[in-house]
Amino acid sequence: PACVLILPGGGYFQRTDGAEGIEIAEAYNASGISAFVVRYRYDANGMSGKVTYDRRAFMADAQRAVQFVRYFAGEFGVDPAKIALCGFFAGGHLAMVVAEHTDELYEGADRSAIGLVDSHPDALVLGYPLVNMKNAYYTVPVIFLNEDQKNQEMLQKYSYTYRLEALPPTFMFAYKNDDTVSVRINAQAMQKDMEAAGMTVECYLFK
């Protein structure tokens, strides 16, 4: 059976474990799907000008979660080839970059048996995701990129266009009139580019 790892949102300065974590996991469980809520690090003081945790910590935690579940798939009773990442807002961004940056391992991840396991998800489920770092909600590039927040190459590197071909089948949903995340330059743009590349993607917009 398939399983899903859930990355709650929170702009990288908080983590909304309830509505975008536990409640989502319970809904998956009710449908007979195993679910895990990933309590990745975040930086509550990130907007003060001092960033303690940035992309290196966030990506290390999310990658490790995929590797951990895949490594212990037999004990969890799940298929190691059917692991999806489900993320909301900044969690959607984190899910996307984990899929595109499996070649980047953080915090000595490759120095353990679990760290040698593939961290690439088999599917993505993204809720109102922020996948374009340019013109993004300000806390995301400030905290995620830290000292590189104005570096154009880094902004591009951690946007969905960087390695589009690495994205697995993707399902997205978003809100048409979202004041925080532009649907046009995020979910809709990613859907359009994935479709143009002949990739598997669905995107639904709601009022």
Side-chain angles (χ1 to χ4, degrees):
C3 73
V4 61
L5 278 67
I6 301 163
L7 299 168
Y12 292 124
F13 67 91
Q14 61 182 352
R15 203 183 53 231
T16 51
D17 289 342
E20 294 178 341
I22 296 171
E23 292 180 22
I24 305 301
E26 289 174 342
Y28 273 113
N29 288 166
S31 299
I33 297 174
S34 295
F36 304 80
V37 179
V38 183
R39 291 185 168 174
Y40 62 91
R41 284 168 283 183
Y42 61 92
D43 198 327
N45 298 314
M47 297 311 298
S48 67
K50 260 189 157 180
V51 177
T52 303
Y53 297 126
D54 61 12
R55 65 186 180 280
R56 289 166 276 257
F58 311 142
M59 292 182 70
D61 292 347
Q63 286 178 332
R64 189 69 164 193
V66 176
Q67 294 171 324
F68 184 85
V69 172
R70 187 164 276 143
Y71 186 84
F72 290 107
E75 294 180 39
F76 288 136
V78 300
D79 188 337
K82 292 184 178 180
I83 297 176
L85 272 180
C86 170
F88 299 87
F89 181 36
H93 175 257
L94 185 54
M96 179 275 296
V97 294
V98 166
E100 290 198 356
H101 293 266
T102 51
D103 59 322
E104 296 182 37
L105 293 174
Y106 294 94
E107 299 184 350
D110 57 344
R111 293 198 294 267
S112 69
I114 295 175
L116 294 174
V117 175
D118 184 12
S119 63
H120 190 265
D122 301 296
L124 294 178
V125 180
L126 309 179
Y128 38 95
L130 192 158
V131 290
N132 186 347
M133 291 287 272
K134 296 186 177 182
N135 301 313
Y137 185 70
Y138 68 102
T139 70
V140 173
V142 168
I143 299 176
F144 187 86
L145 290 179
N146 197 354
E147 70 276 5
D148 295 314
Q149 60 189 268
K150 294 183 180 180
N151 183 317
Q152 294 301 309
E153 289 185 7
M154 295 295 280
L155 287 168
Q156 192 274 330
K157 181 177 181 179
Y158 292 102
S159 294
Y160 78 88
T161 51
Y162 177 68
R163 197 174 283 156
L164 191 73
E165 68 279 5
L167 295 174
T170 301
F171 176 91
M172 293 182 284
F173 66 91
Y175 305 109
K176 293 180 182 178
N177 301 316
D178 194 327
D179 294 330
T180 304
V181 181
S182 168
V183 173
R184 181 180 58 82
I185 67 173
N186 285 281
Q188 284 184 304
M190 182 166 155
Q191 176 194 21
K192 180 180 178 182
D193 288 345
M194 287 185 71
E195 287 177 342
M199 303 171 74
T200 301
V201 61
E202 289 185 24
C203 181
Y204 293 88
L205 301 182
F206 298 91
K207 292 182 180 180

